[in-house]
Amino acid sequence: MTEERSDPIGHRREKLDRLRARGINPYPYAYQRSHYNAEVTGSFDELEGKQVAVAGRIMSIRGHGKTSFFHIQDRTGQLQCYLRKDDIGDEQFEIFRDFDIGDMIGAGGEVFRTKRGEITVKVSSFEMLAKSLLPLPEKWHGLTDVDIRYRRRYLDLIVNPEVKTVFEARAKTLKSIRRFLDDRGFLAVETPVLQPLYGGAAARPFVTHHNTLDLKLYLRIADELYLKRLIVGGLDRVYEVCKDFRNEGMDREHNPEFTMVEFYAAYLDYHDIMDLFRELILYVAREVRGSETLQVGEKEIDISGDWPRRRLLEAIKEETGHDYSSCTVEEAKKMAESAGVDVADKKTRGQIIDAVFSHAVEPKIDTPVFIIDHPREISPLAKAHREDDTLAERFELFIGGKEVGNAFSELTDPDDQKARFESQGREAEAGDDEAHVMDEDYLRALSYGLPPTGGVGFGVDRLVMLLT
């Protein structure tokens, strides 16, 4: 049961051959498990002295002459098993010698507690469920290389079992989001992933090709325009949990492929959406964490109180002392550069303001804050502000220095929307490869009448980061 380090893979293949020579299939079709490991340890009083069948991956083996102890790991945790030669016979005990750490095993036997107090299965039968031909990473050093952990997530889960709690939290987050929206009359829908035109966000798309139609298509960067078409069609509350794709850089908070939730409700504006979005985040936090407190790095953030609504330009002025409310592009550039913000590639006042906010304000936000009323020129799908048409009725929610969601009072005037698309087209011609493209069919849909509508999009991955 111990391997020579010189050729661990070769030794494992020799054991595989021996098992097959004995007529044992090392990769069987099924196994009838009766209990997960945590069920055995958690229900010991009920199961003591009774037979169980457990299954999992061998994570350790200790041999003592005619006995062996080994631990198996399933998704609920580890469980000790005890095997005696006198109980299973010489032949079976010899077969077990061809089992290695990493192998998948099924084991049946009686539940008892050892003299040291550890709940254990006294094995009376066992079965090879999958022979592991590659050794696991060395126990004490483990798997720490971040690149390998993400590229070989299966290995990360085996040797760093705490990672599974993130998977479980993510699943619970999505389940909670769906339940929240379903209970409030939202209809879950699916919209196209392959689109003839991309839109709904400022981002570069992935391009692909449909051979049969000889047609260029794009992987969606957002769901917004298709979901709002459904509002036009009379589905007045819709949402989608979806994969979006943006052909951009990568870091710990950005990935080219990511999961979004977008929901839209007719007859609501961005104030209503703020209330609804706050309610959703609090609901999910209670469901996933059991509290309204988040742990972000070393900081504990209580999200149960009021969530202030700060106007973007006022927040910038408070942090930098500069007033961007009525400045020219050149004046905005000078103020930004004096604050240490590189805006050499920014073409519009709105883009400069957005860069200054990201540099000077965003990292300082811990407790939840709605940043509202963004420049109109960087919000081409949002209604003009009812009190100041240089601004848009838009908000972004920030928690723990991260943007959590982006939302509008949706633009419903087809003529205004066409003018915004045309403006975006001029920005694209000037070199902005993230500008929105003209979408004639979307304008046609708006021309049939989109009722007053509010909507929000937020990244599931980033929300899970906050929750875990």
Side-chain angles (χ1 to χ4, degrees):
M1 287 178 290
T2 59
E3 297 173 353
E4 296 180 22
R5 293 183 180 274
S6 58
D7 186 16
I9 297 175
H11 283 289
R12 286 176 180 246
R13 285 204 168 271
E14 289 175 7
K15 293 176 180 180
L16 179 72
D17 292 341
R18 284 200 295 269
L19 289 169
R20 282 179 166 150
R22 291 175 179 270
I24 295 170
N25 180 3
Y27 303 102
Y29 291 90
Y31 181 77
Q32 297 301 313
R33 172 171 54 188
S34 67
H35 295 79
Y36 283 101
N37 292 345
E39 291 177 318
V40 175
T41 56
S43 303
F44 175 74
D45 290 343
E46 299 173 20
L47 293 175
E48 184 179 12
K50 295 182 179 179
Q51 294 287 318
V52 297
V54 293
R57 189 180 300 276
I58 298 175
M59 300 304 292
S60 70
I61 302 176
R62 304 190 317 276
H64 303 283
K66 296 183 179 183
T67 65
S68 287
F69 285 90
F70 60 96
H71 283 87
I72 64 171
Q73 178 173 290
D74 66 14
R75 77 177 195 184
T76 68
Q78 291 197 9
L79 176 67
Q80 179 169 267
C81 295
Y82 170 60
L83 185 148
R84 287 200 324 157
K85 186 175 183 178
D86 291 346
D87 293 332
I88 63 172
D90 293 349
E91 183 179 359
Q92 287 297 102
F93 195 75
E94 190 64 26
I95 289 172
F96 186 73
R97 294 175 64 84
D98 284 333
F99 280 64
D100 293 300
I101 291 173
D103 289 351
M104 302 296 295
I105 189 173
E110 180 183 311
V111 179
F112 77 107
R113 191 188 294 273
T114 66
K115 292 179 180 179
R116 293 186 176 183
E118 185 167 357
I119 295 170
T120 303
V121 173
K122 185 179 181 182
V123 178
S124 55
S125 64
F126 63 88
E127 183 178 345
M128 172 69 77
L129 301 183
K131 183 66 182 171
S132 175
L133 299 179
L134 295 174
L136 299 180
E138 198 272 326
K139 177 179 178 182
W140 301 112
H141 296 96
L143 184 66
T144 58
D145 184 282
V146 172
D147 186 61
I148 293 178
R149 287 182 65 189
Y150 288 159
R151 291 181 184 277
R152 303 178 189 173
R153 183 62 89 179
Y154 50 89
L155 198 56
D156 189 24
L157 282 164
I158 293 171
V159 300
N160 297 313
E162 68 278 2
V163 172
K164 72 179 173 54
T165 62
V166 178
F167 281 75
E168 292 166 350
R170 181 186 176 86
K172 202 168 185 178
T173 297
L174 286 166
K175 184 177 180 180
S176 301
I177 291 168
R178 288 189 174 99
R179 185 188 303 119
F180 178 92
L181 293 171
D182 290 343
D183 288 349
R184 285 154 184 80
F186 285 84
L187 182 68
V189 298
E190 293 183 343
T191 62
V193 175
L194 290 173
Q195 302 178 349
L197 291 172
Y198 60 93
R204 292 190 297 273
F206 286 94
V207 184
T208 187
H209 187 266
H210 191 296
N211 291 333
T212 301
L213 297 178
D214 191 22
L215 180 67
K216 180 192 288 186
L217 293 172
Y218 304 91
L219 295 180
R220 66 181 170 201
I221 60 174
D223 304 53
E224 178 167 345
L225 301 187
Y226 282 90
L227 289 171
K228 288 193 289 193
R229 284 173 168 93
L230 297 177
I231 301 286
V232 171
L235 303 179
D236 61 3
R237 288 193 167 203
V238 294
Y239 78 92
E240 183 170 15
V241 179
C242 56
K243 283 287 188 181
D244 287 342
F245 308 85
R246 298 182 183 177
N247 199 352
E248 299 174 344
M250 297 171 61
D251 58 37
R252 68 184 300 272
E253 294 178 14
H254 298 86
N255 202 47
E257 175 184 347
F258 59 99
T259 305
M260 284 277 287
V261 173
E262 295 196 33
F263 67 81
Y264 294 83
Y267 316 115
L268 302 186
D269 66 8
Y270 77 143
H271 292 293
D272 300 313
I273 296 296
M274 277 184 255
D275 293 335
L276 190 60
F277 195 30
R278 177 180 182 275
E279 189 180 347
L280 183 151
I281 298 294
L282 288 171
Y283 176 84
V284 173
R286 290 191 295 267
E287 290 292 304
V288 175
R289 293 184 57 84
S291 75
E292 295 176 349
T293 301
L294 306 181
Q295 187 73 37
V296 181
E298 299 299 317
K299 299 174 183 175
E300 192 172 83
I301 299 175
D302 183 358
I303 63 173
S304 64
D306 292 334
W307 295 14
R309 302 178 182 188
R310 297 176 65 190
R311 303 189 78 172
L312 183 142
L313 293 178
E314 292 176 0
I316 291 175
K317 187 175 181 180
E318 289 171 11
E319 293 295 337
T320 69
H322 295 148
D323 185 355
Y324 289 83
S325 59
S326 59
C327 60
T328 65
V329 172
E330 288 306 314
E331 289 169 340
K333 279 191 173 183
K334 289 180 181 178
M335 288 189 289
E337 289 165 357
S338 71
V341 185
D342 181 9
V343 292
D345 62 336
K346 307 303 178 187
K347 302 291 192 298
T348 69
R349 171 178 159 273
Q351 291 173 345
I352 295 167
I353 290 171
D354 189 51
V356 172
F357 174 83
S358 297
H359 174 83
V361 182
E362 182 177 333
K364 299 179 181 179
I365 299 175
D366 285 329
T367 55
V369 175
F370 290 111
I371 297 296
I372 67 172
D373 303 344
H374 296 59
R376 180 173 167 176
E377 63 262 40
I378 59 169
S379 311
L381 299 171
K383 271 192 184 327
H385 198 283
R386 65 196 80 182
E387 297 173 2
D388 182 350
D389 66 6
T390 68
L391 303 175
E393 292 204 348
R394 172 183 172 186
F395 75 77
E396 292 177 306
L397 172 63
F398 290 87
I399 305 175
K402 296 179 175 64
E403 179 207 331
V404 179
N406 184 33
F408 318 134
S409 293
E410 304 298 334
L411 180 54
T412 58
D413 180 341
D415 294 332
D416 189 357
Q417 185 64 81
K418 182 178 181 180
R420 307 276 194 100
F421 281 152
E422 289 172 342
S423 175
Q424 289 284 297
R426 290 190 290 272
E427 291 182 22
E429 290 173 1
D432 185 354
D433 57 3
E434 294 187 352
H436 283 70
V437 297
M438 175 66 73
D439 189 334
E440 296 285 357
D441 183 70
Y442 179 65
L443 293 176
R444 185 182 301 112
L446 288 186
S447 297
Y448 283 100
L450 174 65
T453 297
V456 65
F458 60 97
V460 172
D461 312 279
R462 197 168 292 184
L463 179 57
V464 172
M465 288 175 69
L466 285 171
L467 292 170
T468 58

